[in-house]
Amino acid sequence: MEIISFYSGFVIPFLVGVSVLFAVVVYKFGRWFVRLPVEDRRLVRKNFFSRATVRALGECFMECLLHRKIWKVNPTLGYMHTAFAFGWFLLIVVGWVETVAYLGWRFVPLQGHIFFKFFTGGEHHWLVMDILLWYVLSGLVLAVYKRFRSRTLGMRRTTKLTFGDRVALSSLWFIFPLRLLAENFSGVMAFWWGYSIALGIFFVAMPFSRYMHIFTEVPLIFLRRWGIRSGERESSFDHFQLEACSRCGICIDPCQLQRDAGFRDVQSAYFIRDRRYNRLTRRVADNCLMCGRCEGRCPVGLQLDTLRLNSRHTLSGTPADGRFEYARKITNNPVISNECEKSTGQTVIASENEAICSNSQSSSSHPLGGRGETKNSQLSTPRIGFFGGCMTLLSPRILQSMEQIFAASGDDVWWADRNGGICCGRPLKLSGDIDAARDMMQMNTQLFEAQGITTLVTSCPICLRVFREDYRLEGIEVLHHSEYIARLIAEGCLSLRDSDEKMTYHDPCELGRGCGIYDAPRQVLASVGELVEPAETRSEALCCGSSLANFVVDDASQVAMARAVGAAFEATGAARVVTACPLCKKAIGRTSSLPTLDLAEVVAEKLNND
Amino acid sequence: MAIDFGYSVSQPRAVDLDRNDLSLAREIVREMPEFSACIACGGCTATCTAGNLTSFNFRLVQTLVRRGEYAGAYAEMNKCMLCGKCRLVCPRGINTRGVVRLIKRKLGDY
Ligand code: SF4
Ligand code: SF4
Ligand code: SF4
Ligand code: SF4
Ligand code: SF4
């Protein structure tokens, strides 16, 4: 076999491009790795030789090459991504096999593989390579089509491009058609030059454009499998997430700020882009409902809410300053914790609360477990704490309903905040003031512990989430009122009148996507009426639009979002809307033509009082 | 000995708009124009979680800030828990939590 020289002038742009790409990627990854927090690096060491690594390999294949998750969201888009990624990958692998088959085992420089047809004069040719090239080209046709007419690919909106993207995208579009021309008209040098230049430009632009995701997704998958996550403060791991975003735009369509309120530049794709290029503004960081609708669909599985949160901490966090010391008077002194001395001097006595729950008649079959003994030994210690949270306190009907439900259940209840309490701390955390939020959480924890409660029930999903995620409540079970009521019903402790009234249910974001509670409220509803589901439900449910996580939107936008949600409920033909969040109730009830109630209200209404 | 009636009476005071430096106040209103839609109804203060425990008064503080009286405003606004009750009751639909954060940022230099 003759010795082939693998050199020709036209390969220079390609080689330069590859070198720059390699250098930049190594530099970036190296820097991010070195700066990983100590505990993250410890996780890497601990899990490196474990099954997690094997799983990560599998995931890389499924997601980076086959794009399984994109297929699930949108098959046409999935085809496009797979055609590019898997098609190109196969072109490289099969091309390498082709070289080996032709030249045997020997060293062939990179350009020898890439421009194989040039160096062999096109005399050797595998049909499968042509097929693969046409496969990639079919993806390209879709990509061009999507850029100009995103709707045809089932996307109402597609992302706006940055300069780096534009350069990379244009060169990418040229790579494959030029390759086709060069390989079919092997004698025309201009095509080989064009092909090499297009590759070179693409490679140089790649690490500065969204195409960096091709490389970044791989380490991201491994690090994630090894247990590393982003947290409430920014960390080096965030870089892996930020640059693994392909700006596919899948997160844009589900965003209600876009579809109902007309905000076009705050969605996760844009937030991530702005943060990556260091031009994130407070306006963008703060304008998000953190509803989780986009996070659930992101094919790369990015922690979009967490990243938004730690950006808020960096951009607008303020020192804790011991700012809530004034609240110690209620948390430090549990004995008088039910008396709130307002500045007006008005005092509410704890005994008022005791009166409500004194008719305990339940037996040891009670859902909260053998309460008989403990009750005698710790007579003065209530076992259930009810924390309404600020929003429930603004909804007296929910409080009254809970009173009736507790009375019917026979449980002793300590009302944690009805006569004055502090917020759960989640709104503050959502604003980025995590230190101050911690102070608040610590005060509440102290208050709960001093009361010796074993169960903490809350009717607000926002509180529920922070209790579960951020509080350390040793020995205290935290329940949402929907779970508590479902349990009472299951244990036969509540006697309810069933009806055939059609009711629809709104999944609060913090309860559904936030805490994964979808079934408990549905079970409760099913025992008092007939449940009809709206079009988008459970993990796809809409946000009411008034989320406490958003610090920017004005009233008109909130109303616009609430209207859209209300319309979805009206379309179900239900007589009433039921939800399980006091804030959702207010937000939806504001515009909806249907009565909007909390779950506790419908239950209390159907109680058999005998 | 003074008798405690359980409430107090505010001392009369005057705000001199000619002497106060209104530039910050104008800047704040420019960034959040809805802020000037406040009708001083006091709904926010009546419902306030923080105001329930201390003398913090959102309506008072934000009104003073709009009049150029900045002293102590940061420390007062710092008492807000961002719970959002005030926004739900505000008849003008003002993004009150946005106002709290904006005032803190302008006056506390964050
Ligand atoms: S955040 Fe996820 S869904 Fe949104 S553009 Fe990036 S990769 Fe796509
Ligand atoms: S979390 Fe919700 S509001 Fe925020 S960007 Fe995603 S879809 Fe939009
Ligand atoms: S108010 Fe309800 S729907 Fe809106 S963000 Fe909160 S939990 Fe979700
Ligand atoms: S958000 Fe702040 S000012 Fe408004 S009610 Fe809550 S604590 Fe008071
Ligand atoms: S409730 Fe609204 S309008 Fe009334 S004083 Fe407060 S901010 Fe002003």
Side-chain angles (χ1 to χ4, degrees):
Chain A
M1 194 171 291
E2 91 265 38
I3 301 296
I4 307 175
S5 139
F6 288 109
Y7 182 74
S8 173
F10 81 87
V11 301
I12 292 175
F14 163 75
L15 285 179
V16 170
V18 170
S19 320
V20 171
L21 171 65
F22 185 75
V24 176
V25 170
V26 167
Y27 173 74
K28 282 194 178 192
F29 285 1
R31 215 166 98 117
W32 302 340
F33 266 115
V34 170
R35 296 187 177 187
L36 277 182
V38 190
E39 56 282 21
D40 286 358
R41 271 183 284 152
R42 199 183 49 78
L43 278 171
V44 174
R45 277 197 302 275
K46 186 170 142 234
N47 295 324
F48 194 81
F49 296 104
S50 74
R51 232 178 306 163
T53 308
V54 184
R55 292 219 186 89
L57 268 174
E59 189 183 336
C60 283
F61 182 74
M62 293 306 290
E63 299 306 336
C64 306
L65 293 176
L66 298 188
H67 293 285
R68 186 182 56 102
K69 286 197 197 123
I70 304 190
W71 278 89
K72 273 209 253 172
V73 182
N74 180 336
T76 326
L77 205 62
Y79 179 85
M80 181 192 105
H81 281 260
T82 312
F84 266 110
F86 195 49
W88 200 352
F89 175 75
L90 284 181
L91 269 178
I92 295 170
V93 175
V94 179
W96 181 81
V97 176
E98 193 186 22
T99 326
V100 173
Y102 184 65
L103 299 172
W105 282 106
R106 53 166 287 197
F107 171 74
V108 177
L110 201 55
Q111 70 271 27
H113 290 286
I114 302 296
F115 305 110
F116 181 67
K117 298 239 163 60
F118 175 83
F119 293 113
T120 57
E123 60 187 53
H124 179 86
H125 198 86
W126 279 6
L127 183 65
V128 62
M129 290 293 281
D130 283 343
I131 296 173
L132 284 176
L133 184 54
W134 279 106
Y135 178 44
V136 178
L137 283 167
S138 68
L140 179 67
V141 171
L142 283 180
V144 176
Y145 214 68
K146 170 181 168 237
R147 190 47 40 206
F148 297 111
R149 314 198 49 171
S150 54
R151 262 170 205 276
T152 50
L153 267 97
M155 293 176 75
R156 281 187 289 270
R157 308 210 136 253
T158 188
T159 43
K160 294 166 230 155
L161 298 171
T162 65
F163 176 70
D165 288 348
R166 227 169 260 283
V167 174
L169 184 79
S170 318
S171 51
L172 178 64
W173 283 5
F174 279 104
I175 290 176
F176 296 98
L178 281 167
R179 174 169 177 158
L180 186 75
L181 286 171
E183 293 190 346
N184 285 296
F185 304 96
S186 207
V188 188
M189 280 313 286
F191 290 148
W192 288 109
W193 271 98
Y195 177 33
S196 170
I197 290 173
L199 277 175
I201 295 178
F202 179 64
F203 288 155
V204 171
M206 210 174 170
F208 307 103
S209 73
R210 58 181 182 168
Y211 297 98
M212 182 65 189
H213 83 91
I214 298 174
F215 298 108
T216 318
E217 203 178 342
V218 177
L220 172 70
I221 287 175
F222 278 92
L223 294 172
R224 202 160 51 195
R225 286 273 171 183
W226 290 331
I228 301 179
R229 297 283 181 278
S230 289
E232 57 187 17
R233 284 167 217 269
E234 290 188 354
S235 87
S236 187
F237 176 62
D238 296 354
H239 290 293
F240 288 99
Q241 301 218 45
L242 296 176
E243 302 216 0
C245 165
S246 60
R247 257 167 266 158
C248 64
I250 287 177
C251 52
I252 300 176
D253 279 350
C255 182
Q256 291 163 262
L257 289 171
Q258 180 266 130
R259 69 187 204 191
D260 302 321
F263 292 97
R264 301 255 188 265
D265 55 354
V266 300
Q267 285 69 33
S268 291
Y270 302 123
F271 156 74
I272 298 249
R273 176 198 63 193
D274 290 356
R275 180 160 160 192
R276 177 179 162 186
Y277 296 113
N278 286 323
R279 50 183 159 101
L280 183 62
T281 57
R282 287 194 182 94
R283 196 186 59 79
V284 169
D286 289 346
N287 196 352
C288 169
L289 304 161
M290 296 217 189
C291 65
R293 278 170 58 81
C294 54
E295 183 165 317
R297 297 195 203 194
C298 172
V300 191
L302 303 178
Q303 293 176 271
L304 299 173
D305 283 353
T306 309
L307 290 170
R308 182 94 63 160
L309 236 145
N310 64 33
S311 282
R312 287 183 182 178
H313 170 65
T314 307
L315 289 176
S316 5
T318 54
D321 283 341
R323 64 176 91 157
F324 301 120
E325 283 311 309
Y326 65 80
R328 293 256 176 228
K329 68 179 173 210
I330 62 155
T331 59
N332 268 355
N333 197 346
V335 183
I336 57 145
S337 60
N338 266 334
E339 319 170 355
C340 168
E341 272 191 73
K342 292 183 58 150
S343 40
T344 53
Q346 164 199 350
T347 306
V348 191
I349 309 296
S351 60
E352 182 217 353
N353 296 329
E354 251 79 274
I356 301 154
C357 32
S358 55
N359 64 333
S360 16
Q361 78 278 70
S362 85
S363 62
S364 56
S365 74
H366 193 272
L368 293 158
R371 58 205 293 280
E373 289 165 58
T374 4
K375 200 171 180 244
N376 291 334
S377 54
Q378 307 175 339
L379 211 59
S380 59
T381 319
R383 311 206 53 219
I384 295 190
F386 178 76
F387 189 90
C390 308
M391 289 299 153
T392 308
L393 295 182
L394 260 189
S395 321
R397 287 193 46 190
I398 302 183
L399 284 175
Q400 284 159 15
S401 304
M402 284 313 294
E403 254 171 40
Q404 292 170 21
I405 293 169
F406 283 132
S409 78
D411 282 322
D412 267 345
V413 178
W414 164 65
W415 295 76
D417 59 349
R418 189 168 53 174
N419 299 314
I422 54 173
C423 177
C424 62
R426 181 143 174 96
L428 207 60
K429 180 183 167 179
L430 291 171
S431 80
D433 273 356
I434 50 186
D435 296 323
R438 285 256 165 260
D439 284 354
M440 199 177 266
M441 293 175 198
Q442 184 262 327
M443 285 188 209
N444 272 323
T445 306
Q446 196 182 335
L447 179 65
F448 299 154
E449 281 171 353
Q451 289 293 330
I453 53 171
T454 51
T455 307
L456 179 63
V457 178
T458 175
S459 51
C460 175
I462 306 165
C463 308
L464 179 78
R465 183 151 180 204
V466 76
F467 289 154
R468 290 206 171 155
E469 287 182 0
D470 298 281
Y471 279 59
R472 296 278 162 271
L473 295 169
E474 299 301 332
I476 301 178
E477 186 187 24
V478 179
L479 292 177
H480 184 241
H481 73 333
S482 65
E483 296 176 300
Y484 171 73
I485 297 170
R487 234 188 240 192
L488 289 176
I489 295 174
E491 306 276 335
C493 298
L494 283 188
S495 146
L496 298 171
R497 292 187 304 274
D498 201 351
S499 76
D500 51 10
E501 187 194 354
K502 281 204 174 92
M503 300 185 221
T504 184
Y505 175 67
H506 168 73
D507 282 286
C509 316
E510 298 274 48
L511 190 67
R513 286 179 290 266
C515 297
I517 298 175
Y518 298 107
D519 295 323
R522 287 182 166 78
Q523 282 159 14
V524 173
L525 269 189
S527 54
V528 292
E530 191 191 322
L531 173 66
V532 283
E533 297 277 3
E536 291 174 279
T537 188
R538 301 182 77 101
S539 62
E540 307 275 290
L542 296 166
C543 173
C544 64
S546 290
S547 166
L548 288 176
N550 195 308
F551 291 88
V552 177
V553 289
D554 60 8
D555 201 51
S557 305
Q558 289 192 336
V559 168
M561 287 185 276
R563 285 230 163 85
V565 183
F569 290 126
E570 281 152 23
T572 61
R576 298 196 281 182
V577 181
V578 179
T579 185
C581 167
L583 181 52
C584 297
K585 172 182 143 86
K586 287 218 183 303
I588 298 170
R590 223 179 133 187
T591 62
S592 173
S593 65
L594 302 175
T596 309
L597 289 90
D598 185 84
L599 192 67
E601 291 174 64
V602 280
V603 170
E605 183 188 290
K606 307 277 183 190
L607 274 176
N608 277 324
N609 297 314
D610 39 21
Chain B
M1 206 182 89
I3 304 167
D4 181 6
F5 288 104
Y7 58 85
S8 57
V9 177
S10 304
Q11 291 308 306
R13 54 180 312 212
V15 173
D16 188 343
L17 287 174
D18 290 330
R19 218 175 297 154
N20 283 352
D21 173 12
L22 291 175
S23 57
L24 263 175
R26 291 205 185 97
E27 217 176 285
I28 290 170
V29 173
R30 206 166 37 242
E31 275 192 43
M32 269 188 94
E34 62 191 276
F35 182 32
S36 49
C38 173
I39 50 170
C41 68
C44 46
T45 299
T47 192
C48 180
T49 308
N52 203 19
L53 299 167
T54 178
S55 58
F56 168 55
N57 181 335
F58 175 74
R59 183 195 65 130
L60 177 73
V61 179
Q62 56 107 333
T63 309
L64 286 178
V65 167
R66 271 185 293 148
R67 308 270 188 278
E69 302 265 312
Y70 312 119
Y74 178 88
E76 277 303 301
M77 283 304 190
N78 226 2
K79 293 178 181 158
C80 166
M81 306 185 186
L82 296 178
C83 69
K85 281 166 87 178
C86 46
R87 181 170 190 176
L88 283 179
V89 301
C90 175
R92 306 303 306 254
I94 295 173
N95 176 3
T96 45
R97 299 186 313 147
V99 170
V100 170
R101 291 177 88 216
L102 182 62
I103 289 179
K104 277 183 62 182
R105 194 168 89 230
K106 291 287 176 194
L107 300 181
D109 209 13
Y110 288 105

